[in-house]
Amino acid sequence: MTQRRMRLLTVETILDAALVCIDESGQLTMTELAKKLGTTASSVYHHLDGRAAIIEALRERVLSAVELPLMDSSSWDVQIRSWMHSFRHAMAQHPNLIPLAMEQTITAGRALVGYDRIAGLLQAAGVAPKYVIVWLSVLECYALGSALDLAAPDEAWRVGREDLPTLSNALELASRGRQRADEAFELGVDALLLGLRTRLEMHR
Amino acid sequence: MTQRRMRLLTVETILDAALVCIDESGQLTMTELAKKLGTTASSVYHHLDGRAAIIEALRERVLSAVELPLMDSSSWDVQIRSWMHSFRHAMAQHPNLIPLAMEQTITAGRALVGYDRIAGLLQAAGVAPKYVIVWLSVLECYALGSALDLAAPDEAWRVGREDLPTLSNALELASRGRQRADEAFELGVDALLLGLRTRLEMHR
DNA sequence: ACCTGAACACCGTTCAAGT
DNA sequence: ACCTGAACACCGTTCAAGT
């Protein structure tokens, strides 16, 4: 009966609540977070070192859902493709987190293992060693831009100007919202890898 | 002699100062901006409707430096390529602005004319009408991701872990900082366009 | 060890009062 | 019309005081 009073907060519960805040409102304020936890903002500081640390931890959590490229027998472009998909799928679970996570640094610690394997795949595919990082950057830029695209409001693609007939017409025929973003991601990854493959074959 | 007192502020001078703030510190606070202008924060509100409006105006200003795709006789991929370069070059002048401009909306009003022409080029190249917007999204995602790459600190690509030999070795051989970002952008654009061209030829 | 309320420095923005 | 100082609501963070 005289059970010790339960801990109100845990790193886990705080991160859970913070992610809910971000998913719901796209923002993260310490007061809103505290309210959702039923405490005050200052309590949070006993478990995590401020707002920046919370966002950092959430980015790690989301990135940890990215599957490592499998070391199986499939070809290098299939493996890279599936890794890009896994990356974007993880990001797509919490699109509102993406702009917040951008504020700090871009490349993460935990993702490095994945990067190492991708570097190996690129090298095995025939990319010259001094260009492996450059190609890794290319893939990262596209993955990042596509992730941001997930967070963008679809209204951005509304035109309503009659002096831009080609664009207006194309928008009529196009898919919208998430589906457009998904199709674009797919197409872009394939084009990047096809471009890389074609270039490698040309230089052989 | 009895010259009317000069106006202290203009929309132009405010935007100039704001851009200096952002270039210098990567931030934009109204008080810092006011100090740089030699006035108080509240004065600014007589000319521009708050911080968000300032960033919006700056984004328009930077985007207005993007050259429209020329309607000349060069092939579609050369034209698209030069437009992508112009876009990124404009962004590269003020990399610190990019994350701030992301906070609001992504696609801009003024850029729409450029988008219309790119849509025309894609269609002329043989892209099916319902996929024109999707391809436009692909190009935008990559341009955006590459722009963000410009704002990222280079330390992000420092590893120092011996359990990741491929990545560490690749980093040794790679170029760094701005040069790496430039090379990556170049390579990615070419790969995307080469991929698109190859795909179009396959489906012909 | 964990939680709390009050306090602090700093935001963006508004507004009545000046010229 | 343009500028200003004071005020307001709201941030993130710190800290002495409680249990």
Side-chain angles (χ1 to χ4, degrees), chain B residues 7-8 42 47:
Chain B
R7 322 159 96 252
L8 268 187
S42 55
H47 300 86

Side-chain angles (χ1 to χ4, degrees), chain B residues 18-95:
Chain B
L19 202 46
V20 172
C21 285
I22 292 172
D23 286 341
E24 282 177 0
S25 68
Q27 293 179 4
L28 178 65
T29 70
M30 299 302 280
T31 48
E32 191 191 350
L33 171 60
K35 193 195 296 180
K36 203 172 285 286
L37 288 165
T39 81
T40 67
S42 55
S43 306
V44 176
Y45 285 80
H46 290 273
H47 300 86
L48 282 152
D49 200 13
R51 197 187 99 110
I54 294 176
I55 293 175
E56 166 73 23
L58 286 179
R59 195 187 54 201
E60 287 292 301
R61 177 191 276 200
V62 168
L63 281 178
S64 74
V66 181
E67 292 163 27
L68 289 179
L70 295 175
M71 312 287 265
D72 61 7
S73 59
S74 51
S75 61
W76 60 270
D77 51 350
V78 171
Q79 289 183 271
I80 290 178
R81 208 179 109 102
S82 83
W83 179 75
M84 293 281 284
H85 271 83
S86 176
F87 175 87
R88 185 167 176 281
H89 183 261
M91 294 302 217
Q93 304 305 305
H94 305 282

Side-chain angles (χ1 to χ4, degrees), chain B residues 115-168:
Chain B
Y115 283 28
D116 187 67
R117 295 208 190 159
I118 299 294
L121 288 171
L122 289 169
Q123 209 160 324
V127 173
K130 67 173 291 202
Y131 283 108
V132 167
I133 292 296
V134 186
W135 273 104
L136 207 47
S137 295
V138 169
L139 296 175
E140 196 196 31
C141 284
Y142 185 69
L144 228 54
S146 300
L148 265 169
D149 190 28
L150 283 167
D154 200 44
E155 334 141 14
W157 286 95
R158 211 129 292 173
V159 175
R161 280 171 58 178
E162 289 158 9
D163 55 331
L164 303 174
T166 318
L167 189 59
S168 303

Side-chain angles (χ1 to χ4, degrees), chain A residues 7-8 42 46-47:
Chain A
R7 323 160 94 251
L8 269 187
S42 53
H46 291 272
H47 301 85

Side-chain angles (χ1 to χ4, degrees), chain A residues 19-67:
Chain A
L19 202 45
V20 172
C21 285
I22 291 171
D23 285 341
E24 283 177 359
S25 69
Q27 294 178 5
L28 179 65
T29 70
M30 299 302 279
T31 48
E32 190 190 352
L33 171 60
K35 192 195 295 179
K36 204 172 285 286
L37 287 165
T39 79
T40 66
S42 53
S43 306
V44 175
Y45 286 79
H46 291 272
H47 301 85
L48 280 154
D49 200 15
R51 198 187 98 111
I54 294 176
I55 292 175
E56 166 73 23
L58 286 180
R59 195 188 54 200
E60 286 292 302
R61 178 191 276 200
V62 168
L63 281 177
S64 74
V66 180
E67 292 164 27

Side-chain angles (χ1 to χ4, degrees), chain A residues 162-181:
Chain A
E162 288 158 9
D163 55 331
L164 303 174
T166 318
L167 189 60
S168 303
N169 185 50
L171 278 167
E172 290 284 332
L173 300 169
S175 48
R176 288 144 209 263
R178 182 60 164 270
Q179 195 191 337
R180 176 192 56 74

